[in-house]
Amino acid sequence: MGRRAFITGVTGQDGSYLAELLLAKGYEVHGLIRRSSTFNTSRIDHLYRDAHDEGTKLFLHYGDLSDGSRLVTLLDRIQPQEVYNLAAQSHVRVSFDEPEYTGDSTGLGAIRLLEAIRMVGLHCKYYQASSSEMFGATPPPQNEQTVFWPRSPYGAAKVYAYWVTRNYREGYGMFAVNGILFNHESPRRGETFVTRKITRAAARIAAGEQDELYMGNLDAVRDWGYAPEYVEAMWRMLQHDEPTDYVVATGTRFTVRDFLATSFERVGLDWEKYVKFDERYLRPTEVDALIGDASKARDVLGWTPKVHAPDLARLMVDADVAALNHVGSPWIDTPVWG
Ligand code: NAP
Ligand code: G4F
């Protein structure tokens, strides 16, 4: 029998790349999508075929991480061997505005899904999308032993989800793992995360469609990697014999200012002429520096990143320029798995 996976958050950046990866490996993929009054499937439309077509391998199901009984029904019906929990209110700044909702979806959502697996009696492998944001104020380099010190409702919710994942592993013998992923980006990144906000603005300013760009803290240090490479690490974690937690990162230090300079240079512009400060983009508590040590993922899973921050910025700018010109971009249109 073929392998079957269930992905929550399939309409997001990572969910779309993971669905591509699993389909290319021959999986039957079931994705959870939220009902909305407008279509929210643009990142996976190229993968979708009508369920009546022969050979269809991608199936979408309405549901929500706030609805535990729906998760039970779906898991019982689908019987997946692998479950990837990627769904979350994933924006750190927004989590200060919507702390309760973030706790419910990003934190409690994980235990609803774990408990649904347990109630159905599924013997599946479970992946939890944990985050470097859990390290918060603990200085870099951060690895699997680093103490958590979350600095946002989002970070705190992810810490809860991390610990319940470990608890279900230790308490019920479940194959449940945390991938502690550092920031990872792509042309499919949401437009309000800092990298995509910058690359989109660089393309638009160069095309004369935007005059200026309002930003918050430019001193923040991040370790930015390329999302398609990171979903490969998720899959590898579930193929390993032992359930254990992994940091996934490039180990490269880059500031928001560096990302601005590299992106604007790609379109021949000096960023300092266009960028203005707006305190609305500051957070009540900031995470100053995240730089990951992914030695364990390299040694145990054989995973190494190829794309580092400067190339990432350039490929994202190129994709945004191509999108403005209504031409295809190899970074958007070509399935990365060949
Ligand atoms: P994203 O683009 O924001 O996608 C989030 C996904 O979750 C979307 O499909 C969204 O659906 C879905 N979702 C949100 N609330 C939901 C709910 N209550 N019930 C069901 N689905 C819900 O995030 P991403 O960048 O792909 O990240 C994937 C996961 O990894 C997230 O859990 C994120 O917190 C975590 N993570 C991300 C990074 C990173 O740098 N990207 C790093 C570490 C961890 P809609 O499309 O309907 O909104
Ligand atoms: O792109 P960001 O919003 O990502 P952040 O907060 O690091 O969170 C992302 O990575 C986490 C992994 O560490 C994920 F778990 C999480 O789901 C998300 O994907 O902001 C990056 C940095 C911050 O320090 C922020 O203060 O950029 C700074 N920044 C400066 N100006 C800005 C802006 N961020 C945004 N979004 N918008 C600005 O105008």
Side-chain angles (χ1 to χ4, degrees):
M1 200 177 71
R3 286 179 290 180
R4 203 176 303 129
F6 179 63
I7 305 175
T8 72
V10 72
T11 56
Q13 172 190 256
D14 291 6
S16 68
Y17 284 120
L18 181 65
E20 259 172 32
L21 174 69
L22 298 183
L23 289 168
K25 289 183 182 297
Y27 279 70
E28 183 176 296
V29 175
H30 293 258
L32 185 77
I33 63 168
R34 296 194 288 182
R35 193 268 158 185
S36 74
S37 64
T38 53
F39 286 119
N40 57 0
T41 54
S42 61
R43 291 186 179 105
I44 51 171
D45 282 346
H46 63 295
L47 301 174
Y48 189 73
R49 285 164 59 185
D50 192 280
H52 303 97
D53 291 356
E54 209 173 310
T56 298
K57 293 277 225 171
L58 175 65
F59 301 91
L60 302 177
H61 309 269
Y62 284 121
D64 196 296
L65 281 190
S66 64
D67 185 353
S69 61
R70 177 63 173 155
L71 297 175
V72 170
T73 305
L74 285 175
L75 290 173
D76 190 40
R77 189 187 301 162
I78 297 165
Q79 296 281 317
Q81 292 98 352
E82 295 175 19
V83 172
Y84 296 85
N85 184 27
L86 309 187
Q89 190 303 93
S90 73
H91 202 285
V92 174
R93 178 68 190 83
V94 171
S95 80
F96 289 98
D97 300 329
E98 296 189 47
E100 185 181 332
Y101 174 70
T102 303
D104 191 48
S105 55
T106 306
L108 286 179
I111 205 160
R112 285 195 193 98
L113 191 52
L114 285 161
E115 190 59 7
I117 291 169
R118 202 170 73 85
M119 287 169 74
V120 171
L122 271 186
H123 293 288
C124 65
K125 295 183 172 183
Y126 174 86
Y127 173 88
Q128 171 60 30
S130 285
S131 166
S132 51
E133 192 69 14
M134 301 188 304
F135 299 126
T138 308
Q142 293 104 354
N143 65 20
E144 294 81 4
Q145 271 72 52
T146 302
V147 171
F148 297 145
W149 186 349
R151 298 268 284 173
S152 63
Y154 168 82
K158 283 289 183 185
V159 170
Y160 175 80
Y162 168 93
W163 279 112
V164 293
T165 299
R166 281 193 60 166
N167 183 244
Y168 274 56
R169 180 166 83 217
E170 293 163 9
Y172 303 118
M174 200 182 274
F175 191 113
V177 307
N178 287 287
I180 307 173
L181 272 52
F182 282 60
N183 299 51
H184 46 281
E185 320 292 312
S186 74
R188 294 186 196 165
R189 184 59 143 154
E191 290 163 3
T192 61
F193 294 95
V194 78
T195 54
R196 185 76 198 290
K197 181 172 168 177
I198 291 170
T199 61
R200 189 163 170 269
R204 286 169 54 82
I205 291 170
E209 294 194 11
Q210 185 172 329
D211 297 327
E212 52 202 11
L213 172 64
Y214 286 93
M215 304 277 305
N217 173 22
L218 306 188
D219 295 324
V221 172
R222 288 291 183 275
D223 174 341
W224 281 294
Y226 184 40
E229 296 183 347
Y230 283 48
V231 303
E232 167 83 27
M234 295 176 190
W235 177 76
R236 287 190 190 201
M237 287 178 212
L238 294 202
Q239 310 317 306
H240 199 261
D241 295 338
E242 294 297 322
T244 175
D245 307 322
Y246 300 87
V247 157
V248 177
T250 71
T252 306
R253 177 190 198 284
F254 221 53
T255 63
V256 174
R257 190 176 282 99
D258 294 332
F259 207 95
L260 273 167
T262 308
S263 301
F264 277 68
E265 190 181 282
R266 185 66 168 178
V267 287
L269 298 176
D270 174 1
W271 70 273
E272 295 189 79
K273 292 187 179 149
Y274 303 94
V275 173
K276 296 187 172 155
F277 174 70
D278 186 337
E279 66 178 12
R280 276 189 308 165
Y281 298 114
L282 297 179
R283 292 141 191 219
T285 38
E286 174 63 291
V287 170
D288 295 327
L290 294 173
I291 309 170
D293 166 12
S295 312
K296 181 178 173 185
R298 182 196 60 215
D299 297 345
V300 179
L301 303 176
W303 181 88
T304 49
K306 293 178 192 63
V307 179
H308 292 260
D311 285 337
L312 177 65
R314 288 188 275 268
L315 78 81
M316 287 175 67
V317 171
D318 291 353
D320 276 317
V321 169
L324 271 185
N325 294 326
H326 306 291
V327 297
S329 158
W331 297 106
I332 297 176
D333 299 331
T334 310
V336 282
W337 316 110

mmCIF file of all heavy atoms in Angstrom, residues 17 67 84 90 138 193 263 328:
data_model
loop_
_atom_site.group_PDB
_atom_site.id
_atom_site.type_symbol
_atom_site.label_atom_id
_atom_site.label_comp_id
_atom_site.label_asym_id
_atom_site.label_seq_id
_atom_site.Cartn_x
_atom_site.Cartn_y
_atom_site.Cartn_z
ATOM 1 N N TYR A 17 5.248 23.523 -0.097
ATOM 2 C CA TYR A 17 6.481 22.834 -0.523
ATOM 3 C C TYR A 17 6.494 21.377 -0.049
ATOM 4 O O TYR A 17 6.974 20.486 -0.758
ATOM 5 C CB TYR A 17 7.718 23.558 0.026
ATOM 6 C CG TYR A 17 8.053 24.844 -0.707
ATOM 7 C CD1 TYR A 17 8.087 26.060 -0.030
ATOM 8 C CD2 TYR A 17 8.364 24.843 -2.068
ATOM 9 C CE1 TYR A 17 8.400 27.244 -0.692
ATOM 10 C CE2 TYR A 17 8.677 26.011 -2.736
ATOM 11 C CZ TYR A 17 8.698 27.218 -2.047
ATOM 12 O OH TYR A 17 9.002 28.379 -2.703
ATOM 13 N N ASP A 67 -10.995 22.770 16.125
ATOM 14 C CA ASP A 67 -12.135 21.854 16.071
ATOM 15 C C ASP A 67 -11.642 20.410 16.234
ATOM 16 O O ASP A 67 -11.377 19.702 15.258
ATOM 17 C CB ASP A 67 -12.833 22.074 14.712
ATOM 18 C CG ASP A 67 -14.105 21.270 14.566
ATOM 19 O OD1 ASP A 67 -14.409 20.442 15.440
ATOM 20 O OD2 ASP A 67 -14.785 21.473 13.542
ATOM 21 N N TYR A 84 1.859 15.817 9.641
ATOM 22 C CA TYR A 84 2.714 16.999 9.775
ATOM 23 C C TYR A 84 1.858 18.151 10.272
ATOM 24 O O TYR A 84 0.948 18.596 9.549
ATOM 25 C CB TYR A 84 3.330 17.374 8.417
ATOM 26 C CG TYR A 84 4.263 16.327 7.849
ATOM 27 C CD1 TYR A 84 3.766 15.254 7.100
ATOM 28 C CD2 TYR A 84 5.641 16.415 8.046
ATOM 29 C CE1 TYR A 84 4.626 14.295 6.564
ATOM 30 C CE2 TYR A 84 6.502 15.453 7.519
ATOM 31 C CZ TYR A 84 5.988 14.408 6.780
ATOM 32 O OH TYR A 84 6.843 13.454 6.253
ATOM 33 N N SER A 90 1.116 32.202 12.636
ATOM 34 C CA SER A 90 2.579 32.109 12.622
ATOM 35 C C SER A 90 3.280 33.464 12.645
ATOM 36 O O SER A 90 4.506 33.506 12.556
ATOM 37 C CB SER A 90 3.032 31.323 11.380
ATOM 38 O OG SER A 90 2.867 32.115 10.217
ATOM 39 N N THR A 138 17.567 33.901 24.723
ATOM 40 C CA THR A 138 18.803 33.158 24.998
ATOM 41 C C THR A 138 19.776 33.378 23.838
ATOM 42 O O THR A 138 19.410 33.147 22.681
ATOM 43 C CB THR A 138 18.520 31.644 25.168
ATOM 44 O OG1 THR A 138 17.479 31.484 26.117
ATOM 45 C CG2 THR A 138 19.768 30.920 25.647
ATOM 46 N N PHE A 193 5.920 39.124 6.294
ATOM 47 C CA PHE A 193 7.170 38.744 6.969
ATOM 48 C C PHE A 193 8.279 39.596 6.353
ATOM 49 O O PHE A 193 8.209 40.012 5.196
ATOM 50 C CB PHE A 193 7.447 37.247 6.798
ATOM 51 C CG PHE A 193 6.421 36.400 7.495
ATOM 52 C CD1 PHE A 193 5.325 35.893 6.810
ATOM 53 C CD2 PHE A 193 6.535 36.137 8.856
ATOM 54 C CE1 PHE A 193 4.361 35.136 7.457
ATOM 55 C CE2 PHE A 193 5.571 35.378 9.517
ATOM 56 C CZ PHE A 193 4.483 34.885 8.821
ATOM 57 N N SER A 263 19.033 43.101 -1.097
ATOM 58 C CA SER A 263 17.839 43.066 -1.965
ATOM 59 C C SER A 263 17.776 44.291 -2.875
ATOM 60 O O SER A 263 17.508 44.180 -4.078
ATOM 61 C CB SER A 263 16.573 42.997 -1.109
ATOM 62 O OG SER A 263 16.589 41.863 -0.294
ATOM 63 N N GLY A 328 7.163 34.037 -15.910
ATOM 64 C CA GLY A 328 7.452 32.946 -14.984
ATOM 65 C C GLY A 328 8.802 33.158 -14.329
ATOM 66 O O GLY A 328 9.667 33.845 -14.867
#
